[in-house]
Amino acid sequence: MLEIRGLTVDVAGRRVLNDVNMIIQEGEAHVLLGPNGSGKTTLLLSILGFPRYEVKEGEIIFKGEDITDLHTSERVKRGIGISFQNPPVIKGVNLGSMVNICMGEKTDEITEKTLELAGKMNLSEEFLKRDVNFGFSGGEVKRSEILQLIAQHSDFAMLDEPDSGVDIENMELIGKMIGELLQRDYLPSKRKRMGLIITHLATILDYIHADRAHVMLNGRIVCSGVPEELLSGIKKNGYEGCMRLCQK
Amino acid sequence: MPKIDLEKYSMKSEEHEPSELSQFKENRDDLSEIGYEIDEKERSGSYFQLDHSVLSSTSGQEGIEISTTTDALKKYDWLRDYWWNAVSPDKDRYTKQVDLRQTQGYFIHLLPGVKAEFPVQSCLLISQENIAQNVHNIIIAEEGSEVHIITGCSASHGVNSALHLGVSEIYVKKNAKLTFTMIHLWGPEIVVRPRTGIFIEENGTFTSNYVCMNPVKDLQMSPTAYCDKNARATFQTIIYASKDSKMDLGSNVFLKGDGSRAEIISRVIARDNSEVISRGDIIGKGHDVRGHLECRGLMLSNHAKIHAIPELEAETAEADLSHEAAVGRISEEEIEYLTSRGLDEEEAASVIVRGFLNVDIEGLPKELNGEIKKKIEMSAAVM
C-alpha cells in the first residue's frame, strides 16, 4: 500500500503541492487527471524523492515504511518505479545498458533477457544500441520508458503521460503492456502491483481499467472517484466544474 | 602555454641494446596499456625506441617497410621529397630543435595496394631522467594501401622530468586508408610537443584517434590534415585531464580538394587543477566540401578549466561547415534519471562519465580496446 498524508511540497521556494492525501491499495491502479501545471508530475517526482522537491509537511508511507526522507535510489530499491514524460538524453549510454541497470545487472552487453523484453515492446536490438532518448520519436520514448519500468519489476509503477504523442498503433501496444505490468489481466484479488498514471486522454483507460481517479487543481486533489464518471464529468464541465460538483 | 627551456634537458643518452627488450616482457602490462604487443604477435610490424636507441624495427608482412628514418634516408633518395614537407622545420622552436638535434624516429612504408593484415605498432619510451627525445617520423601509405598504426608514447615509472618532441609527417596516397591511433601515457613532470602534418590524396582516408587519460605536465599539439579531392579526415580525441595537467590540443583540417570531408570529435574531462584548451579548425576551400566539429567538455572540479575553441573558415560558398561545442558539469537531470533506475549518485555519475568518454574507435585490437575501456572505468570510478 502507498499512503500519502498531507503532503505539502515546495520547489525553489514556491508551493507546488498542498496537503495532498491519497491511498493506493495493493493491486490498485489509479489515474491522476488535471490541467497542465496543476502539480501532477510534481506529485510523482515527490513520491520518487528527487532532491529539488522539498517536502514541507506530510509523509509518504510505502509498504508500511515512512520513506519521506529516503534517497531516490533507496525508494527505487524498495519497489518504486517511474516512466518519465520527457526523459533526458544521456550521451554514450545506450538503452540496452539502461535496461541492464534497471535489472540491477552490471554489464553493458545486451543480454538475451533484455532482447526478449525489448521484443515485447517492439524495439529491435539495433534500437537498444542507440544512446538513450537521443533522437527517439514520441512513441519510442514512451516504449523505451515502459521497457525500463518493466525491467525494474517495481511493485509501484508511476507513469507520466505514457500516452501523449503516441500514434494509434503504438497506443494499443503501450496500453497492453501497461495493463500487463499492472497485472490488469489478473483477477482483482490476485493483483499485487500498484500504479499511478497521469493522463489527459481516455483512450489509455480502455486498456487499464483503473480503479480510481483523482483530479488535481493548483496543487491539491480536489476530487476523487470512479475514473469513467470523473472523465465524463470533466468533458462536460471542465476541471473547475468537476471540482465544484465534487465539493457540493 | 609556457615557453619550454630546451637547454634544461639532456641530449646524452646511454645506449640501449635490443636485448633490453626482454626486460619489458616481464612488465608487459605497462606496454599493453599503450597498445604495444611485446611479442609482436598479431602485428604486421613493430618499432620500439627507448630514449635514443631503437630496440626493434621489424616488418611482419611483405610490402610493409619499417626502419628508422635515419636509415631510410640513407637508403632512399626520394625520401628527401617527403622530409620536412608536411611539417616545416621553421614552424617553431620545437621543430627547429628536432631538425638540429634529431634522435631517431620511425619510417613506416606501405607499398601500393598492400593491406596490412594486423595493426603496425610503435612505442616511443623514455626511461632516462631529464632526457630530451627528439624523434622525426615518416609514414607513407602508398596508393590503395590500408593500415592501422598504433603508436604508444610513454615514460617509465620514476622518470621525474623529460622532454618529448615528435615531428610526424604522414602521407596518405590516392585511395589509401590509414588509421592512426595514438595513446599517450606520460607523467606529471613530462613536457610534450608533437608536431604533425598529414597529406591526404584523392579518395584517401585518414582517421586519427588520440587517447590521453593520464596526467602530463605540459602538452601542446595541433596536427593539421590537408585534404585533396574527395579525401576524408577524421580526428577523435579522448582526454581525461587530472592533477595539474596542462594541455593545449587541437585538430585542423584544410579541405582544399573538391568534395573532401572532415569530422573532428573531441571529449574532454577536466578534474582537479587541470587546464585544457580544446581547439578545432576546419577550413573549407574546395567545391562541395563538408566538415563537422564536435567539441564537448565535462568539468569535474571547480578548480579545473576547459577552454573550447571551435573554428570554421569558409573560403567558398559551397562549403558546408558546422560545429557544436558544449562545456559544463554533469547534468542534475541525468543524475536523477539514473537514480530513478536504482543507482546511487556516485554510480550515476560514473555511468555518465563513462558514456561521455564512450567514443567508438573502429579496428582497435581487442586488448587495446579493453585497456582503454578499463582506463575509462577507472577514471569514472575515482570520482
Side-chain angles (χ1 to χ4, degrees), chain B residues 37-322:
Chain B
E37 172 53 55
I38 191 83
D39 295 325
E40 303 182 359
K41 260 189 225 151
E42 301 200 334
R43 292 292 186 270
S44 287
S46 299
Y47 177 91
F48 192 106
Q49 179 170 341
L50 181 60
D51 300 326
H52 299 168
S53 310
V54 178
L55 306 191
S56 172
S57 66
T58 44
S59 166
Q61 187 181 332
E62 206 174 318
I64 302 176
E65 277 186 272
I66 295 175
S67 71
T68 65
T69 37
T70 320
D71 287 346
L73 279 169
K74 279 182 209 151
K75 193 169 166 189
Y76 300 121
D77 278 342
W78 54 260
L79 194 54
R80 291 280 158 204
D81 297 338
Y82 296 83
W83 194 246
W84 291 119
N85 185 41
V87 175
S88 162
D90 303 319
K91 182 183 163 65
D92 56 28
R93 37 201 296 274
Y94 308 107
T95 53
K96 264 185 204 143
Q97 179 81 349
V98 173
D99 190 26
L100 293 171
R101 308 167 99 178
Q102 186 200 335
T103 60
Q104 306 288 8
Y106 54 75
F107 171 64
I108 299 173
H109 187 202
L110 272 94
L111 297 185
V114 171
K115 294 185 170 52
E117 194 186 343
F118 299 111
V120 169
Q121 62 179 357
S122 102
C123 173
L124 301 167
L125 188 64
I126 293 176
S127 71
Q128 193 182 315
E129 184 66 23
N130 204 43
I131 200 177
Q133 189 183 51
N134 305 335
V135 296
H136 189 161
N137 310 310
I138 299 251
I139 299 169
I140 304 172
E142 298 283 1
E143 232 179 280
S145 63
E146 284 181 21
V147 66
H148 187 165
I149 294 172
I150 297 168
T151 179
C153 305
S154 184
S156 299
H157 299 296
V159 174
N160 288 320
S161 165
L163 171 71
H164 172 90
L165 303 179
V167 169
S168 298
E169 299 185 90
I170 300 174
Y171 300 89
V172 183
K173 299 289 188 74
K174 236 169 131 177
N175 301 316
K177 197 174 163 191
L178 172 64
T179 302
F180 185 73
T181 296
M182 182 154 79
I183 318 286
H184 273 179
L185 199 168
W186 299 108
E189 295 305 328
I190 315 289
V191 174
V192 185
R193 292 283 184 276
R195 296 291 180 260
T196 303
I198 307 120
F199 283 155
I200 313 163
E201 289 187 4
E202 194 175 335
N203 289 320
T205 304
F206 173 77
T207 305
S208 154
N209 304 303
Y210 175 59
V211 180
C212 182
M213 306 280 295
N214 294 73
V216 58
K217 182 177 180 176
D218 172 343
L219 187 150
Q220 191 239 328
M221 65 175 196
S222 187
T224 303
Y226 305 87
C227 290
D228 281 352
K229 192 177 168 189
N230 294 329
R232 280 162 194 275
T234 305
F235 286 89
Q236 300 199 112
T237 303
I238 302 172
I239 303 295
Y240 186 89
S242 58
K243 296 189 175 152
D244 295 312
S245 297
K246 290 198 171 33
M247 305 173 90
D248 182 345
L249 302 154
S251 307
N252 311 281
V253 182
F254 186 27
L255 297 170
K256 63 187 172 75
D258 296 348
S260 52
R261 304 271 182 271
E263 189 173 27
I264 298 175
I265 296 168
S266 77
R267 299 266 192 279
V268 175
I269 288 189
R271 58 174 296 160
D272 307 329
N273 300 308
S274 61
E275 289 179 21
V276 182
I277 303 174
S278 175
R279 304 170 191 270
D281 190 9
I282 302 176
I283 305 167
K285 195 176 172 68
H287 295 289
D288 185 32
V289 295
R290 256 193 276 163
H292 181 66
L293 206 161
E294 188 187 307
C295 188
R296 289 177 187 274
L298 189 60
M299 296 284 291
L300 297 185
S301 149
N302 282 329
H303 308 289
K305 204 168 149 182
I306 296 177
H307 185 175
I309 313 175
E311 290 182 85
L312 304 174
E313 301 171 51
E315 295 180 13
T316 161
E318 288 177 65
D320 179 1
L321 310 177
S322 60

Side-chain angles (χ1 to χ4, degrees), chain A residues 48 50-52 71-73 76-77 82 84 86-93 98 101-102 108 132-133 145 148 152, chain B residues 267 294 296 324 331-345 347 351-352 354-356 358 373 377:
Chain A
L48 197 60
F50 278 179
R52 62 173 179 272
H71 185 268
T72 299
S73 62
V76 173
K77 281 186 191 122
I82 190 167
F84 289 97
N86 295 310
V89 171
I90 306 183
K91 277 290 187 101
V93 179
M98 288 300 295
I101 288 170
C102 289
D108 287 337
V132 68
N133 302 320
E145 284 297 301
Q148 294 175 61
Q152 275 185 294
Chain B
R267 299 266 192 279
E294 188 187 307
R296 289 177 187 274
E324 44 182 321
S331 119
E332 200 56 41
E333 204 192 356
E334 292 174 30
I335 293 270
E336 285 177 351
Y337 189 51
L338 287 161
T339 55
S340 79
R341 302 305 186 223
L343 299 184
D344 64 31
E345 264 163 61
E347 292 168 326
V351 168
I352 293 166
R354 216 164 52 202
F356 181 84
N358 185 7
K373 284 240 154 35
E377 289 293 329

Side-chain angles (χ1 to χ4, degrees), chain A:
Chain A
M1 185 174 83
L2 175 88
E3 188 178 358
I4 296 165
R5 293 186 198 143
L7 193 69
T8 299
V9 171
D10 284 6
V11 177
R14 203 173 67 90
R15 181 115 326 162
V16 194
L17 292 184
N18 218 326
D19 191 24
V20 172
N21 295 284
M22 185 185 283
I23 292 178
I24 303 178
Q25 298 286 355
E26 196 174 83
E28 282 185 358
H30 289 207
V31 175
L32 194 53
L33 307 163
N36 290 328
S38 59
K40 304 185 298 295
T41 298
T42 299
L43 177 60
L44 262 51
L45 299 180
S46 301
I47 295 172
L48 197 60
F50 278 179
R52 62 173 179 272
Y53 298 88
E54 222 182 311
V55 175
K56 288 294 178 187
E57 271 174 71
E59 54 227 16
I60 306 163
I61 312 290
F62 184 57
K63 295 197 265 190
E65 181 188 8
D66 185 347
I67 60 162
T68 321
D69 297 321
L70 283 186
H71 185 268
T72 299
S73 62
E74 289 300 320
R75 300 185 197 207
V76 173
K77 281 186 191 122
R78 281 163 175 73
I80 296 179
I82 190 167
S83 153
F84 289 97
Q85 191 188 355
N86 295 310
V89 171
I90 306 183
K91 277 290 187 101
V93 179
N94 63 34
L95 174 59
S97 306
M98 288 300 295
V99 175
N100 290 343
I101 288 170
C102 289
M103 294 194 291
E105 307 217 0
K106 289 202 156 92
T107 171
D108 287 337
E109 305 288 321
I110 291 167
T111 61
E112 280 297 316
K113 217 163 126 195
T114 304
L115 261 183
E116 197 193 314
L117 276 184
K120 279 179 133 183
M121 289 308 300
N122 202 13
L123 295 170
S124 66
E125 184 169 3
E126 226 25 69
F127 191 80
L128 288 171
K129 288 180 185 161
R130 283 173 61 179
D131 285 359
V132 68
N133 302 320
F134 183 66
F136 286 13
S137 71
E140 285 168 344
V141 166
K142 304 300 173 193
R143 280 187 283 152
S144 142
E145 284 297 301
I146 292 165
L147 169 63
Q148 294 175 61
L149 189 54
I150 291 172
Q152 275 185 294
H153 280 286
S154 306
D155 299 327
F156 172 52
M158 299 186 282
L159 295 117
D160 194 350
E161 296 195 27
D163 46 8
S164 69
V166 175
D167 57 41
I168 297 170
E169 207 179 322
N170 277 309
M171 180 72 92
E172 197 179 330
L173 175 72
I174 284 170
K176 205 179 119 250
M177 291 309 290
I178 297 174
E180 229 174 85
L181 172 73
L182 296 176
Q183 302 170 325
R184 304 315 282 174
D185 47 346
Y186 290 19
L187 286 171
S189 61
K190 301 280 180 203
R191 293 174 191 155
K192 295 278 175 218
R193 294 229 173 106
M194 297 168 271
L196 181 58
I197 305 159
I198 297 178
T199 182
H200 287 292
L201 307 163
T203 335
I204 195 84
L205 294 177
D206 294 344
Y207 302 92
I208 316 294
H209 303 293
D211 299 291
R212 206 167 163 75
H214 310 273
V215 176
M216 192 160 234
L217 260 181
N218 301 321
R220 290 172 189 274
I221 289 186
V222 293
C223 195
S224 296
V226 176
E228 287 73 18
E229 286 176 13
L230 275 188
L231 266 172
S232 66
I234 291 165
K235 264 184 206 157
K236 221 163 117 193
N237 308 309
Y239 290 112
E240 300 272 351
C242 175
M243 175 181 75
R244 279 195 297 275
L245 282 171
C246 262
Q247 291 173 353
K248 251 185 189 172

